[in-house]
């Protein structure tokens, strides 16, 4: 076991060293400026193929709704004139993809942020609304911290486990992502609320309950090595919510809100990365 | 060999024998009679947690004919839970068709519930529904059996990552509230 840990450490150190080398090259070659960095957004439309996810009373399937929203978001990001976005979709068609493959794919793409898009359902037809989740720590069980933690540093209050340096490194990295995930979740919550509350064409108002930002142990969020959130767009088990999710205009508003949030978080993360140079 | 060495050897062997014997007897007879886990069958009042119209947990009280130990009682209790609510206005937490194959407990007093494939196949979808199911199950077990510290879910004898593609259940579950 100890040998394996040392081996992992050596391999990781090697990776860090390799990553540093190309970064030095542009300056050494006397290039005027660094190329504009693409900000990579990994969009993960939940479910797909044999896994339809939740189904509404009118037959609306989660896998289709979330693919719509994800594709619309991808288009808005790529088409925008400002920032240079690289968009990666974990699926672009109605296909089953295992959670592990989504995670591997996102990590291999070296995304800057990860956003998983879902539509919700409850045993109660009264349950409704929009909510954004970020991960609870992998050492907690899936059901802890469902109500959001009030302060960003909550994870740091846990007793450190100093016996294993690899574990501490991993914890530190996780805490860093967790804070950014929380900021991202906050930005989405605010962005979508603003976008949806604006009346649509013909003055149509969309009713959407904002259930806020929460934490839970989502398998897909625990695996990705980047700030990550999971958006529950609305409840297919609720009549009003299902109608919203069937409306192209509502989905456009949702996408507008998501885009605003990504713009905000991309600015923050890019500034931090610039600060590190 | 000197007499003293012989006596010492005999003493050591006897002592080892006594300790080993005690341990064997202890493990065979004492542990199963631990009153926290094994007891005489009796009629028990239990609380089954189902989902109410607000999507939150609500307990339904029932009486069961208990078994001779915690494993039997947990099995009876989860079977009642899987059968669904009797009161109006309550919804099932576990999907229909779910069968509990077996119940085990480990040294950390974590209860393992081994279900058939229907607990995955019959999922109706949705993160909230997945949470409601897990909370319904975990609350029912932890509330009725205070000797149990956590719950783990197996499907056909195997560990699985999630039941419906959302929540990671590879850790023991011990949370009891459904907060909104
Ligand atoms: Zn989903």
């Amino acid at each position: 076991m100890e040998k394996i840990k040392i081996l992992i450490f050596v391999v990781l150190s090697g990776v860090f060293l390799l990553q540093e080398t190309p970064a030095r090259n542009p300056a050494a070659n006397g290039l005027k400026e660094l190329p504009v960095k693409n900000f990579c957004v990994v969009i993960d439309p939940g479910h797909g193929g044999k896994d339809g996810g939740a189904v509404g009373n009118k037959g609306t399937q989660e896998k289709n709704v979330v693919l719509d929203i994800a594709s619309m978001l991808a288009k808005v990001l790529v088409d925008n004139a400002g920032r240079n976005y690289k968009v990666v979709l974990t699926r672009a068609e109605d296909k089953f993809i295992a959670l592990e493959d989504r995670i591997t794919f996102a990590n291999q793409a070296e995304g800057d942020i990860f956003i998983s898009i879902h539509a919700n359902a409850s045993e109660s037809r009264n349950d409704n609304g929009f909510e954004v989740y970020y991960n609870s720590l992998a050492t907690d069980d899936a059901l802890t911290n469902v109500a959001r933690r009030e302060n960003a540093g909550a994870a740091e209050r846990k007793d450190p486990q100093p016996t294993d340096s690899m574990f501490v490194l991993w914890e530190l990295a996780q805490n860093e992502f967790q804070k950014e995930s929380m900021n991202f979740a906050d930005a989405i919550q605010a962005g979508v609320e603003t976008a949806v509350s604006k009346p649509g064409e013909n003055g149509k108002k969309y009713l959407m309950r904002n259930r806020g930002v929460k934490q839970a142990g989502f398998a897909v969020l625990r695996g990705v090595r980047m700030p990550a959130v999971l958006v529950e767009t609305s409840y297919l088990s609720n009549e009003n919510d299902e109608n919203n999710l069937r409306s192209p205009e509502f989905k456009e508003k949702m996408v507008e809100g998501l885009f605003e949030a990504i713009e905000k978080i991309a600015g923050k993360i890019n500034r931090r990365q610039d600060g590190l140079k | 060999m000197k007499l003293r060495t012989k006596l010492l050897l005999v003493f050591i062997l006897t002592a080892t024998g006594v300790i080993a014997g005690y341990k064997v007897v202890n493990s065979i007879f004492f542990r199963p009679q631990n009153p926290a886990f094994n007891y005489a069958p009796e009629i028990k009042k239990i609380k089954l947690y189902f989902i109410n119209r607000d999507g939150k947990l609500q307990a339904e009280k029932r009486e069961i004919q208990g078994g001779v130990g915690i494993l039997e009682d947990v099995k009876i209790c989860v079977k009642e839970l899987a059968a669904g609510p009797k009161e109006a206005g309550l919804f099932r937490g576990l999907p229909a068709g779910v069968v509990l194959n077996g119940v085990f407990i480990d040294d950390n007093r974590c209860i393992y519930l081994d279900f058939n494939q229907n607990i995955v196949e019959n999922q109706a979808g949705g993160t909230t529904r997945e949470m409601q199911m897990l909370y319904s199950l975990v609350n029912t077990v932890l509330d009725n059996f205070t000797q149990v510290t956590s719950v783990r879910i197996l499907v056909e004898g195997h560990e699985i990552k999630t039941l419906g593609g959302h929540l990671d259940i590879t850790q023991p579950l011990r949370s009891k509230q459904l907060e909104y």
Side-chain angles (χ1 to χ4, degrees), chain A residues 197-218:
Chain A
S197 60
K198 278 187 258 170
E201 267 176 54
N202 311 322
K204 182 163 170 55
K205 282 266 293 174
Y206 292 94
L207 283 175
M208 186 197 75
R209 177 177 163 203
N210 185 351
R211 302 174 75 121
V213 172
K214 298 172 181 178
Q215 280 185 292
F218 283 89

Side-chain angles (χ1 to χ4, degrees), chain A residues 35-57:
Chain A
V36 179
K37 191 192 169 287
N38 284 334
F39 188 83
C40 180
V41 183
V42 181
I43 308 175
D44 173 47
H47 312 276
K50 66 177 180 182
D51 171 17
V55 190
N57 243 349

